[in-house]
């Protein structure tokens, strides 16, 4: 297990992380780390809204969202947290389920998923960068994908997210074995498979080289540095039109 732990995607991550944590970086940009959509929903939203309100009140010019170590959870919560960066209700997708009688996949209109923005006082309209990686899975990917709609955010990472966005269900097997299987095909608003097998792909791909690996070994966060550079660059994308 020692070698497995050494190469784990979660190596160095504290076990005491809260679902949502925020700060202001030395660069002056806001930073929010979202570690889970499976924790306490009320706590998550309370801290999330406190962060957004603090950044707005203090005229923080942009926010970097760290989604690199988030195994997912509630897709509904992920959608609604992403809605704080939009000013209009936006359809984000649906779930297609296999129908044995017809041999095709069927999407129930009632399963359509939307982002519903909060009151204007809690909407954040300045630039946003989202950092992703292979440890961003399931609901984390739904959130990150939502932030690509209308080019709302710039995605930064060394790799795409895991590519495992889909509806799942747990099945109990003999001898106490529990198995989780995908039971629904996650699709975007146009009915296209948008996450499974490919994930959310970075707009800014941070290279994996001997140099960047050495910097990381020395404790430098090369992805965060790239995110700061991306959000600092003059850009029209990533801003809600006025």
């Amino acid at each position: 297990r020692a070698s497995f732990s050494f190469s784990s995607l979660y190596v160095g991550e504290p076990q005491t992380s809260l679902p949502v944590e925020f700060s202001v970086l030395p660069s002056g940009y806001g930073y929010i780390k979202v570690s889970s959509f499976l924790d306490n929903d009320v706590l998550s939203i309370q801290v999330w809204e406190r962060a957004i309100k603090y950044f707005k009140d203090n005229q923080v010019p942009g926010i970097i969202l760290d989604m690199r170590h988030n195994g997912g959870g509630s897709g509904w919560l992920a959608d609604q947290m992403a809605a704080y960066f939009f000013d209009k209700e936006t359809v984000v997708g649906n779930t297609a389920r296999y129908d044995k009688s017809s041999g095709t996949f069927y999407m129930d209109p009632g399963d359509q998923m939307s982002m519903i923005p909060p009151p204007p006082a809690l909407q954040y309209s300045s630039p946003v960068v989202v950092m992703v990686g292979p440890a961003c899975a399931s609901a984390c990917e739904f959130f990150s994908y939502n932030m690509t709609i209308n080019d709302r955010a710039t995605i930064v990472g060394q790799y795409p997210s895991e590519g495992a966005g889909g509806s799942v269900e747990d099945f109990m097997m003999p001898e106490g074995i529990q198995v989780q299987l995908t039971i629904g095909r996650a699709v975007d608003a146009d009915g296209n498979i948008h996450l499974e097998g490919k994930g959310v792909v970075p707009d800014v791909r941070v290279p994996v080289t001997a140099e960047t690996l050495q910097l990381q070994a020395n404790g430098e966060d090369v992805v965060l540095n790239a995110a700061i550079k991306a959000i600092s660059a003059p850009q029209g994308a990533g801003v809600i039109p006025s």
Side-chain angles (χ1 to χ4, degrees), residues 32-75:
I32 307 179
K33 180 179 181 181
V34 185
S35 299
S36 175
F37 291 112
L38 191 60
D39 209 298
N40 186 303
D41 288 2
V42 174
L43 174 62
S44 297
I45 288 296
Q46 286 177 335
V47 180
W48 185 250
E49 290 192 345
R50 178 178 292 189
I52 298 296
K53 188 173 187 304
Y54 181 87
F55 294 150
K56 285 173 63 75
D57 290 347
N58 290 276
Q59 299 182 329
V60 171
I63 296 177
I64 296 172
L65 300 172
D66 192 345
M67 311 299 294
R68 291 175 291 176
H69 299 96
N70 184 326
S74 168

Side-chain angles (χ1 to χ4, degrees), residues 182-203:
T182 302
I183 60 167
R185 173 185 284 177
V187 296
D188 63 17
D190 297 320
N192 302 308
I193 298 174
H194 58 329
L195 293 172
E196 193 72 31
K198 55 186 176 182
V200 179
V201 180
D203 300 307

Side-chain angles (χ1 to χ4, degrees), residues 142-212:
F142 290 128
F143 178 98
S144 302
Y145 165 77
N146 292 348
M147 296 301 295
T148 71
I149 295 174
N150 297 331
D151 295 324
R152 180 62 188 92
T154 300
I155 310 298
V156 176
Q158 290 181 308
Y159 307 95
S161 61
E162 185 179 55
S167 301
V168 296
E169 189 168 312
D170 293 330
F171 297 88
M172 295 305 300
M173 305 295 285
E175 301 184 15
I177 296 174
Q178 183 173 327
V179 178
Q180 188 180 79
L181 298 174
T182 302
I183 60 167
R185 173 185 284 177
V187 296
D188 63 17
D190 297 320
N192 302 308
I193 298 174
H194 58 329
L195 293 172
E196 193 72 31
K198 55 186 176 182
V200 179
V201 180
D203 300 307
V204 177
R205 182 69 70 94
V206 181
V208 180
T209 62
E211 180 183 2
T212 58

Side-chain angles (χ1 to χ4, degrees), residues 1-13 213 216-217:
R1 295 186 61 87
S3 61
F4 175 79
S5 298
F6 180 81
S7 60
S8 168
L9 294 172
Y10 284 87
V11 66
E13 285 296 297
L213 289 172
Q216 289 173 295

